[in-house]
Amino acid sequence: MTDKLAAKDKQYLWHPFTQMSQWDEEDPLIIEQAEGVYLIDTQGRRYIDGVSSLWCNVHGHRRPEIDRAVRKQLDRMAHSTLLGLAGVPSIRLAERLVNLAPEPLTRVFYSDSGSTAVEIALKMAFQYWQQRSEPKPEKKKFLTWTSAYHGDTIGSVSLGGMDLFHQIYKPLLFETVQVPQPFCYRCPYDLQRESCETKCADDAIETIHRHADELAAVVIEPIVYGASGIVTAPEGYLSAVRNACTKSNVLLIADEVAVGFGRTGTMFACEQEGVAPDLLCLAKGLTGGYLPLAATLATEQIYGAFLGESRRKFFHGHTYTGNALACAAALANLEIFEEQRVLANLKPMISALSEGLARFGDLLHVGEIRQRGMIAGLELVKDRDGKKPYDPARGIGHNVVLRARSKGVVIRPLGDVIVLMPPLSITFDEMKMLLNAVYDAIREETDGA
Ligand SMILES: *Cc1c(COP(=O)(O)O)cnc(C)c1O
């Protein structure tokens, strides 16, 4: 059966972010079931889901509480529109999200992916400045970071800065003001770490002030820049950016699509530095990894600028906005956080991850180990002292991932960075298995113990 399915996959599918000619040469791993932190393939083999099904699973697969909530909702209704109608689970979830989110965020606008959550935030920010009681139509630009990633729709791609993903679409994109990521392992200014941290923050603040008159908003991945290789921002960087936005009268959009829902150890990453954004984008972990749902949260001040005449409304809405099954899953996901005190109980697991990662320092080709909460990235380099990267054609990240798979672990690379982002529900034993498999995979692939 597996061979037949594999042949049909190759015949009919087009996989995301995948060179299909390479895909056609390899045997696809076909997942049929999942349970807890495990994915189970068509031949019954079990793999630890080391990247939480691309960063979205939270409390494990087939979580009885979420299964039950979705089934229960299914007995009532799968979906009805939020255009002209309201729906029970979307109301309950919105209240819950507002209660969880930093205080000034009071309004929830639903969509269905991280890309749309960001797209919505940027349209809201743009329209807000046009429609304020004291309009500032010249404020229509966005400040973003080099190597940022905010999704794959054209607006979100415009905010992105990853040349590999985004270069080809350049003629379709709007311009942004860019500042370098505070990536002090490879300092954009060629400075030592401490000077790098200061210089990066100063430069970001200065750029925000300088462009204040034309900036609608600053769009940031708080604490961890995910897709660019798990780049962790220095402490204080996010709050410095928040302060600069406040002083320059620029909105702050926090894209917590990857880092929200406990990933950094707090419910939202912004909490790590006591920061409240003006717009907050949520997706991936919102439903615990069950169903596609996203939310853009806004302050009452932004919301207020859309009230009044008909033409002032927000012209945006997707067919499945506020889908009832997805909202029911999200509610159950959030109830687990509360009832099982997930975040309080997570601290020892975050320490276990740190302790387990320390051993990777023995490996000659691990250049840097980056971690925030339950997110880790291991940057593989050809030469550790010179921080010299591997030739991309070597496919080192991809090969490590394939080796890890043969040891019962599913992970994904970001170029030469090996990403570990297991479900928050992982046990100590499972964490050990995950780390051991990845350690061995790197050691074997790089011959460097
Ligand atoms: C994944 C991601 C997105 C895009 O979310 P999709 O649901 O894949 O559209 C946006 N921003 C960040 C930070 C992400 O990690």
Side-chain angles (χ1 to χ4, degrees), residues 55 112-116 118 149-152 221 226-227 255-258 283-284:
W55 314 357
D112 35 47
S113 75
S115 307
T116 56
V118 172
Y149 178 76
H150 296 288
D152 299 330
E221 294 169 76
D255 176 355
E256 294 225 13
V257 170
K284 291 195 170 101

Side-chain angles (χ1 to χ4, degrees), residues 90 194 314 325 348 360 433:
S90 59
E194 260 174 50
F314 186 46
L325 290 176
F360 286 72
M433 285 161 57

